[in-house]
Every structure is written in structure tokens, then in C-alpha cells.
Amino acid sequence: MKSAWARLVALGAAVDACLLPWELEGQAVPENLKRQVGTVPTPIGEGNRWENGDIPRGLGTQPRNSSIDTIMSTTEIRSAVEALIKEFELELIETPEETHDGQIMFGAKVGQAGCNGSYRTLLTAGIHARERGGPDNLVYFIADLLWARREGTGVAYGGRSFTPEEVDKALQAGIIFMPMLNPDGIAHDQAEGDCWRKNRNPDGPVDLNRNFDILWDYKTKFIEGVGISVASDNPTHETYHGVEPFSEPESRNVKWIMEEYPTISWTLDIHSFAGLVLYSWGDDYNQASDPDMNPFNPAYDGKRGLAVDQPGQEYRAYMPLDVWRNDSFVALRVADAMNSAVDGRHVEATQSVSLYPSSGSLADWMSAQHVLNEDNGVTHGFTIEFGRQAGGRCPFYSDVGAFNDNIRQMGAGLMELLVAAADTGLGDLSCDAVP
Ligand SMILES: [Zn+2]
């Protein structure tokens, strides 16, 4: 039987993000695609651009025709962050648990000057290994913010400029950034070039973006036959969700971040490729009239994930009207900023379920913080799917031109998100009020 979403797909709905059409059906790479010669993937840096004191600099603070020719290797991503930490006196974050391959996950804090601790925003990338360029987008954006603050300038991404005042405003959001949520997977993908998505759990690699503790038990929570975009308990599938919620050190480390920094109220996770800015929920379409009809109420188990409800299976996910209105508006602002940066690579704002329903995702877990912990306020969880499909065996490996377009579009999108967060209100920003 075809799932409800598979029927939608047959009607032409977009599915080209994170998962490829044959992966949504649990099948192998088609033979004709294996032979396809397409895009020349952007090379991966072979040396280490930042080991001798050079500091990364994004495209937003460089002359308009500048370009970056290689993707950062995992070694370079670490050196780039360390170089920024040293140059701009940031604080390194390392999460407590080693990954399966013994790597330490890391990030840094970019706070308001003189106001340490007021971290309201978590920006993350690299949870899906093959979505190349995500970590670069994030590191170069942070580099731009820091350069611009020091020089007292604005930033410009293609056709979209931001003033020095907007740079200051963006920094008020107090940022924690983590460029590699799946360092083992990225190291593997860079070494093998095999379009690797999941982590490297030797007992069965896990899709970390299905391993968070929200609607994880998809067989109970969703309607039967909803399709494997939601999740899978088959370790050979690209959406294998692990043996239990938070079974993986990488997802537990993200949980640790949220426990260490309870003031975080805006999160954005960077993915590719679809040209979408997504807001919650991801299990079904939203509604604002019935608070009891929600992702946490077992009374609606077995009903979630049906795009067009059938009699007896009515369910849509409750989101308070003000949050829904705010988050859909912020997503629209971010998409518009990305569209005004680079021509011909249209980005759309939409609810994440309209891509495909999913369980255990980072963004939905972030949006559920105030439900999972009543001490927490509302957290706004967003996802961006940057870029377009590249030709060839791995459609996630873009060429140099697209890599640079993506850096510009993501720079504009990240700036707009932070400015929108500051416009919406970040809570009490006084240093004294922050733990
Ligand atoms: Zn992804």
C-alpha cells in the first residue's frame, strides 16, 4: 500500500531534501544514477588554511566578487573555530561524550560584549554528513559577524546588505554555534565520497535527526504505513532511528547543550538541499484551536502524519496562535532575505511537515522544550534546507559556484533570523538576570 505521503508525492509535492526519492522507498541507488556524470564536487581542503595564524573570513565582509574554492576538511573546521576563538577571545565549548569514533564535538560562544551568559540562540550544522557546505556556511557566517563587529561595518551577501546596527542587533541574540553535529559521519563522507548521511554507530548507523525524544516511537505515534521518511527501525534504511531515543552520543551531547544553557530560545539546524525554511511541527499540519490535540497526547496515537485527514483519523498538531504566527513570519523573513541575496535559487518558507512528516527530529524536539521541561519558555525551532540538487552520484555535493551561492544565501538567512529573533524579543537581556 502506498502511504498517504507517497500519494502526495505522486501528485508532485516536493520531496527533494535530505532524503532522495529511492531512499524514501527504502531502495538502493538506481543504476542509471551511478553512471551519471554531473557536477564536479567542490574539492575538500587538503592542507590546513588556519594553522599558521590566518583567520577565516566569510563572503559577507569581503569584496563582492570574492569566492572560496574548497570545502573545509574536518581538521580545518576545528582549526577555523579555534582561530576565531583565539582572534576574537571567544569561549570554546566541548560536549562531554565522545562519538563512536572517539571524536569530541565542539563549538563556541559568541555573546554580547560584556554580557557573558546571555545565550539565546543555538545554530547547528552537519547532522547529516553528506550535506556538504553546511559547516562552512555556519563558520563563515560567524566569522563575518565577528569581523563586522570589530571593524564597525555591516555585512553584504550578494544583493542583501545589513547595517552595522543590524550586526549589533544580531549579536544581542547571544549565539552558541556547533558546526559538526555528526563529526564521524562527516569524516567518513569526506574520506570515502559515498554520500554518507548517518552517524558511524558500529551496531547500525543511526540517522541522528530521528533520534531525539519527540514522537520517537513512530509505530505507535503515527498512522500505519506513513512511509520511512518518518523513521525506520531497519538499520539499513537512511532514517534508522536507533534502539531508543537519545541512544547516540551525538544527540545526547545536543541535549547536554540545552541543559547547560537553558536560556536558549531560538534554534536553527542547517541542512541541504531543497531551498526551504521550515518551522514546526513536523508530525502533521498545525492548528491553534484545540490545545489537547497535540504531539504529546496519546489519545491521538496512530493518527499523526496523514496529510489529508480521513473520517475517524482527524489530527492536526496544536501550536499556540502567537507562536505559529511568529514562527511562520520569521521563516518568511528568512526566506525573503535568502531570495534577495542570490538570484535564481528560490527559497520558500513552509511548515516542516509539508516536506514530509518526521519523528524524533532535532527541530521538533527544540520546539517542544517548554512542554518537556515546564521551567523552559517557548523555544522556536527552525530548519533551513539550503541549496539545490547537484548532478551525479551524490546530489548533495555542489560545485564551487553553488557552494559560494549557498554561503551567501545562508549568510543572509542567518542574519535575518538573528535580527528577527531580536525584533521578536529575547527575554531579559540584562547581564544580572542571566544565570
Ligand atoms: Zn539533512
Side-chain angles (χ1 to χ4, degrees), residues 18 127-128 131 197 209 271-272 385:
C18 287
I127 199 168
H128 286 147
E131 296 169 11
R197 167 182 168 93
N209 207 31
H271 290 250
S272 69
E385 293 268 356

Side-chain angles (χ1 to χ4, degrees), residues 214-226:
I214 176 151
L215 299 166
W216 180 87
D217 180 13
Y218 68 98
K219 286 187 171 168
T220 304
K221 300 295 174 188
F222 285 79
I223 193 160
E224 199 182 341
V226 72

Side-chain angles (χ1 to χ4, degrees), residues 17-19 127-131 197 207 209 269-273 356 383-385 396:
C18 287
L19 288 165
I127 199 168
H128 286 147
R130 65 193 179 186
E131 296 169 11
R197 167 182 168 93
D207 180 354
N209 207 31
D269 194 33
I270 299 173
H271 290 250
S272 69
F273 56 87
Y356 40 64
T383 303
I384 291 184
E385 293 268 356
F396 299 88

